[in-house]
Amino acid sequence: MKFSRPKDKSAARPPPAPVRPKRIVRSPSVGGRQGILARLPNPLVPRDSEAHFQSRLRFVVGMFLLCFALLGIRALDLTILQGESLREKADNQYKKKVPIPGVRGRILDRHGRTMATSLPVKTLSLDRDRMGDPGEMARWLAPLLDTDVATLEKRLSKARPGSFPVLKRRLSPDVVDKIQTMEEKLIREKEQRTGEEAEGPALFFAPEVQRFYPLGELTSHIIGFVDFDGRGVEGLERSFETVLRGKDGSRLVVRDRLGRPMPQAQVLQPAHPGTDLVLTIDTTIQYVAYRALLKAMTRTKAQSGVVVVLDPDNGDILAMVNQPSFNPNNLAESEPKDRRNRVVMDAFEPGSTFKIFTVSAALDQGVVKPDTLLDIEGGSIVVGGRRIRDTHRKHQMMTVSQVLQKSSNVGAAKIGLMLGNERQEPYLHRFGFARPTGIELDYEASGRFPDIKHYVRVGLANRSFGQGISVTPIQLASGAAAIVNGGQLYQPHLAAGRVVNGRLVPQKRNPPTQVISEATSQMMRKILTDVVGPEGTAPQAAVEGYVSAGKTGTAQKASPMGGYAAGLYFSSFVGFIPADHPRLLIYVGLDEPVGQYYGGVVAAPVFKEISQEVLPLLAVLPEIPKNAPMPPIAGHVFNPEQPKDQPATNSLVDMSLWQSLEVLIERGVIPQVQGSGRVVREIALPDGGMRLELQ
């Protein structure tokens, strides 16, 4: 028996095959790195239950934190960033801040008469969200607003949700009552038809003020007007905007759930009214001047006209009238040219009225005297190759007084040449020409003096009788006042002061400037008295019972093509009364009168009509010439032709104004005067006074 050795198991086993590294087979459709990442384990697929739980917990907590963060950001946005606007929107659903307009100050004349005031009115607005059917509302509302149904329906349909469009402003109280009554009726009918409580009215009214001018076109160029927002646009309304304009306030209106306003409203800020403005204008004198100018415009068919009435002793303007005029209460019917204040805005060649400034400067310098003789050379001379002619050419010699009395262009030119430009021009600037006067109105023209250094003799000669220069009516009136008031130039004024706490606070004024001496002024007053005499150019300016004085002007108008236009004239007259102690200075200007065009014929009668009506209003009694016999007055005890045994009558009919005043003053009666001419009717007043009607 053969024994064999046991085999070694390890030896019996075949040697292990070499371990080859696994090859990463890349998918042909996946890139190198992406293929590797595709074989990595997914973290969202936990290997065991504990890892899976921790992962889900972290995910849920993260989502909660994210939600809380978003909510916090939103809360911050609503409370901090948008909080104020959202609170305002919420309050506006039942609260509304309504403005309280500040009432604009009044404008008064020198006697306290109202020339401009503000009246409370309503503005109609719409709450778009409560409107309902636009067509139904337009059908009943259009007739009350005096508008077309289709037009109103179109406006209502275009209103955006949440808006409050204004439908019409400045409604009268009766229209407001009709709209409120009609809307309340429709709301009640709707509640009866549906059986439910209807929402509040869709229409509401906001308080507003409307500017009203009681005198209409009588004072329109002085006062001006305001726009729809109550801001001054022209005239004194614009110049004194900061004084007249009130300060708006506000109140809080609370509405119920249906949008109806609660009965009580909280005033958040009270409104403050504007300051009242007092003018130098006398509305009675303004009316007299307005009527006289309107009659002259009708008689002469002039294109336009102006009148300025001022007090020469202080520069107060008592009346300022323009034609054509306009009604500031109805601007839609006026044109821009009608609203132009020509007294301060239009500059023109003054013509012969300017001769008074040449003569007064020559007298003040001692170049001439009133009785200095001048060779007029038959009323025609040549200066620098230009011929200067007089209208009346029958005189060979004239005194300086006669140069103004006859309105000699040749005489004025010779006086100007004797004076010289180096002495004349400073006087003209001191009289206020070539610069604004400073009157309280915007857009004032300054006029123009051209430089004549290249044609001194011709320019000086033309300037001396009012050609080749331009001035405004207010400049000429204020300069003429300086000639007759003692030589002092006052700045013309329309504003007398402001009413503060019931008291008048006077407007600050600049002191006057001495232009010529008192002696020169006295000589000029005497010289200009002859102009209104029978031998002067303005006998139609003579006022019965008074001594008047002045100067005529008839200026040929410049042509746009050069030279002067044939047949076109600016006719004027500047006068003062009484001549010794002037209480009134009146300037009258008519542009392009038809037919008669001389200033003494078309403008001087306007001066006469204004003077004879205004002087009694100022308690300026007629002047009785010395050593003059009393005229026979029928029925008066001083009538020398009346038999002693015939009873005197008390009738004043057919007497002139100054004759009737003599009779009434003897009785101790100061009458009221209406009209002009001779007495046609006398009316006894209950207070013992008397009113005279003249025609």
Side-chain angles (χ1 to χ4, degrees), residues 17 19 146 160 187 213 360 445 553 623:
V19 179
D146 192 22
R160 294 174 297 178
I187 291 176
Y213 305 96
S360 62
E623 301 169 293

Side-chain angles (χ1 to χ4, degrees), residues 213-438:
Y213 305 96
L215 300 179
E217 64 179 54
L218 191 66
T219 58
S220 56
H221 291 95
I222 302 171
I223 305 301
F225 54 89
V226 299
D227 60 14
F228 271 102
D229 296 322
R231 291 188 294 266
V233 176
E234 289 187 11
L236 294 176
E237 293 277 25
R238 175 186 175 92
S239 304
F240 288 88
E241 169 67 17
T242 56
V243 175
L244 295 168
R245 187 171 182 84
K247 184 178 180 181
D248 294 343
S250 61
R251 60 192 178 100
L252 188 64
V253 177
V254 181
R255 299 179 180 272
D256 62 11
R257 64 184 181 86
L258 298 178
R260 295 171 297 194
M262 303 294 285
Q264 294 182 348
Q266 178 185 358
V267 177
L268 301 178
Q269 183 177 359
H272 297 283
T275 304
D276 291 345
L277 181 67
V278 180
L279 306 186
T280 61
I281 294 292
D282 186 319
T283 52
T284 303
I285 300 176
Q286 180 79 11
Y287 169 72
V288 172
Y290 172 87
R291 185 185 62 185
L293 180 61
L294 191 60
K295 289 166 61 177
M297 292 281 293
T298 304
R299 182 176 65 252
T300 63
K301 298 180 174 58
Q303 294 295 313
S304 62
V306 296
V307 169
V308 179
V309 183
L310 59 81
D311 186 342
D313 287 333
N314 53 26
D316 284 355
I317 297 177
L318 306 177
M320 179 187 289
V321 183
N322 286 261
Q323 283 293 341
S325 189
F326 69 99
N327 185 357
N329 298 308
N330 189 7
L331 293 174
E333 296 184 359
S334 66
E335 299 181 9
K337 64 182 181 64
D338 300 334
R339 301 193 292 267
R340 186 176 183 85
N341 190 340
R342 293 170 172 82
V343 173
V344 298
M345 299 175 68
D346 286 2
F348 58 92
E349 286 194 359
S352 295
T353 52
F354 201 76
K355 294 172 184 174
I356 62 176
F357 302 101
T358 300
V359 174
S360 62
L363 290 172
D364 202 57
Q365 283 290 306
V367 175
V368 295
K369 295 181 179 180
D371 57 357
T372 300
L373 279 173
L374 301 173
D375 185 2
I376 305 303
E377 303 181 25
S380 179
I381 62 172
V382 176
V383 178
R386 182 182 184 275
R387 183 165 294 279
I388 298 174
R389 297 182 177 88
D390 284 346
T391 303
H392 309 285
R393 304 178 192 174
K394 60 182 180 180
H395 299 281
Q396 185 68 30
M397 302 294 292
M398 280 188 181
T399 64
V400 171
S401 297
Q402 289 174 328
V403 167
L404 292 181
Q405 182 188 32
K406 303 296 183 181
S407 195
S408 171
N409 295 338
V410 173
K414 286 200 168 189
I415 294 173
L417 292 172
M418 294 168 62
L419 180 63
N421 185 55
E422 66 281 356
R423 287 188 289 185
Q424 185 198 52
E425 190 160 319
Y427 270 92
L428 300 183
H429 285 289
R430 283 155 60 183
F431 274 118
F433 297 111
R435 58 181 171 86
T437 63

Side-chain angles (χ1 to χ4, degrees), residues 604-625:
V606 180
F607 167 86
K608 175 182 179 179
E609 181 175 349
I610 296 172
S611 299
Q612 65 186 9
E613 292 197 44
V614 171
L615 289 173
L617 299 176
L618 300 179
V620 180
L621 299 180
E623 301 169 293
I624 307 298

Side-chain angles (χ1 to χ4, degrees), residues 57-347:
L57 180 62
R58 286 193 297 270
F59 175 76
V60 172
V61 171
M63 293 300 296
F64 270 106
L65 292 177
L66 178 62
C67 291
F68 278 117
L70 293 176
L71 291 176
I73 293 173
R74 182 58 175 164
L76 178 66
D77 177 53
L78 294 177
T79 58
I80 304 300
L81 301 181
Q82 302 186 50
E84 189 65 28
S85 61
L86 293 176
R87 279 192 293 271
E88 184 177 353
K89 289 181 179 180
D91 290 341
N92 287 339
Q93 294 180 358
Y94 68 97
K95 294 180 181 179
K96 187 174 183 180
K97 188 177 180 180
V98 178
I100 304 175
V103 179
R104 193 175 180 86
R106 298 176 300 165
I107 300 179
L108 312 172
D109 83 337
R110 66 189 303 119
H111 300 297
R113 305 184 187 105
T114 301
M115 302 174 71
T117 188
S118 297
L119 302 177
V121 291
K122 299 287 187 179
T123 294
L124 177 63
S125 298
L126 169 71
D127 187 344
R128 172 63 180 82
D129 295 338
R130 301 178 185 272
M131 178 176 63
D133 183 14
E136 180 181 353
M137 175 174 286
R139 281 189 290 274
W140 68 265
L141 184 58
L144 299 178
L145 298 182
D146 192 22
T147 187
D148 182 63
V149 176
T151 303
L152 181 59
E153 182 178 358
K154 186 177 180 180
R155 286 186 60 191
L156 296 176
S157 301
K158 287 185 176 181
R160 294 174 297 178
S163 64
F164 303 91
V166 174
L167 300 183
K168 193 165 185 178
R169 302 184 66 175
R170 299 180 178 178
L171 293 175
S172 60
D174 58 333
V175 174
V176 173
D177 292 340
K178 290 179 181 178
I179 293 176
Q180 290 177 332
T181 302
M182 187 58 143
E183 189 171 29
E184 291 174 358
K185 177 183 177 183
L186 294 175
I187 291 176
R188 288 195 301 268
E189 291 177 355
K190 182 178 181 181
E191 289 177 346
Q192 293 175 359
R193 186 171 59 253
T194 60
E196 298 178 357
E197 188 175 10
E199 289 186 340
L203 301 174
F204 61 92
F205 299 91
E208 192 182 16
V209 290
Q210 179 180 1
R211 202 63 167 168
F212 178 67
Y213 305 96
L215 300 179
E217 64 179 54
L218 191 66
T219 58
S220 56
H221 291 95
I222 302 171
I223 305 301
F225 54 89
V226 299
D227 60 14
F228 271 102
D229 296 322
R231 291 188 294 266
V233 176
E234 289 187 11
L236 294 176
E237 293 277 25
R238 175 186 175 92
S239 304
F240 288 88
E241 169 67 17
T242 56
V243 175
L244 295 168
R245 187 171 182 84
K247 184 178 180 181
D248 294 343
S250 61
R251 60 192 178 100
L252 188 64
V253 177
V254 181
R255 299 179 180 272
D256 62 11
R257 64 184 181 86
L258 298 178
R260 295 171 297 194
M262 303 294 285
Q264 294 182 348
Q266 178 185 358
V267 177
L268 301 178
Q269 183 177 359
H272 297 283
T275 304
D276 291 345
L277 181 67
V278 180
L279 306 186
T280 61
I281 294 292
D282 186 319
T283 52
T284 303
I285 300 176
Q286 180 79 11
Y287 169 72
V288 172
Y290 172 87
R291 185 185 62 185
L293 180 61
L294 191 60
K295 289 166 61 177
M297 292 281 293
T298 304
R299 182 176 65 252
T300 63
K301 298 180 174 58
Q303 294 295 313
S304 62
V306 296
V307 169
V308 179
V309 183
L310 59 81
D311 186 342
D313 287 333
N314 53 26
D316 284 355
I317 297 177
L318 306 177
M320 179 187 289
V321 183
N322 286 261
Q323 283 293 341
S325 189
F326 69 99
N327 185 357
N329 298 308
N330 189 7
L331 293 174
E333 296 184 359
S334 66
E335 299 181 9
K337 64 182 181 64
D338 300 334
R339 301 193 292 267
R340 186 176 183 85
N341 190 340
R342 293 170 172 82
V343 173
V344 298
M345 299 175 68
D346 286 2

Side-chain angles (χ1 to χ4, degrees), residues 445-498:
S446 59
R448 181 173 174 268
F449 280 172
D451 187 1
I452 61 173
K453 63 183 179 180
H454 298 298
Y455 52 98
V456 176
R457 286 184 58 80
V458 175
L460 182 58
N462 289 345
R463 176 185 294 176
S464 298
F465 60 89
Q467 279 191 354
I469 58 175
S470 63
V471 302
T472 63
I474 191 62
Q475 285 177 332
L476 202 145
S478 61
I483 289 179
V484 304
N485 69 2
Q488 292 188 320
L489 178 68
Y490 287 90
Q491 180 180 347
H493 284 282
L494 282 168
R498 313 173 187 183

